[in-house]
Amino acid sequence: MKIIRNILAVVVGWAVGSALNMGLITAGHSIFPLEGVDPNDMEALATAMSTASSEHFLFPFLGHALGTLFGAIVAAIIAANHKMKFALGVGVLFLLGGIMVNYMIPGPIWFTVADIALAYIPMAWIGGKIGMGINKN
């Protein structure tokens, strides 16, 4: 039963974090639209990144950081044991996705460094601590 619960922790944590991530990124496109760019067209987004200002990177960073944070919290709450390991596992999944997205849609170096260094593993660790505090068993 512990194995199933631990697998579920990662799957549900990843799903919750992904939903929050996509919600924030979608909200960002509504609040700070890139004029003439379809946010669902990866090639158009990649081309437009050179003209994007710093405000266009706020919601992607928040989506990545908060998605990872809440995904890790959920994973730590659900996991039967090794709660921090599963929270960090969610962080690693998000980190791999973040590296892929930063490669597919290259933004400015400052954003890539901040995103990779701050939005994933540190947020997963904080989420793990929060989740372990919520569910002490």
Side-chain angles (χ1 to χ4, degrees):
M1 196 62 187
K2 284 184 180 183
I3 292 172
I4 293 171
R5 194 166 156 192
N6 289 340
I7 292 169
L8 194 62
V10 174
V11 171
V12 173
W14 175 78
V16 166
S18 294
L20 179 58
N21 177 24
M22 287 310 300
L24 285 168
I25 290 172
T26 301
H29 287 302
S30 297
I31 295 168
F32 301 116
L34 282 164
E35 296 302 323
V37 177
D38 177 7
N40 298 314
D41 183 351
M42 296 291 269
E43 288 181 30
L45 276 174
T47 302
M49 285 301 107
S50 63
T51 63
S53 63
S54 57
E55 66 195 18
H56 294 108
F57 296 96
L58 175 63
F59 278 88
F61 180 79
L62 287 174
H64 299 167
L66 294 177
T68 303
L69 177 72
F70 281 92
I73 290 170
V74 168
I77 289 170
I78 294 173
N81 52 16
H82 305 287
K83 294 176 179 297
M84 182 59 79
K85 288 180 184 175
F86 289 103
L88 290 172
V90 168
V92 168
L93 289 175
F94 276 94
L95 174 62
L96 293 173
I99 291 168
M100 286 178 18
V101 167
N102 275 289
Y103 178 75
M104 293 185 307
I105 306 174
I109 295 296
W110 66 264
F111 176 75
T112 301
V113 170
D115 192 50
I116 299 301
L118 302 174
Y120 303 107
I121 302 305
M123 290 295 128
W125 183 80
I126 293 168
K129 287 291 192 180
I130 292 169
M132 288 168 31
I134 290 172
N135 187 17
K136 292 186 180 189
N137 63 3

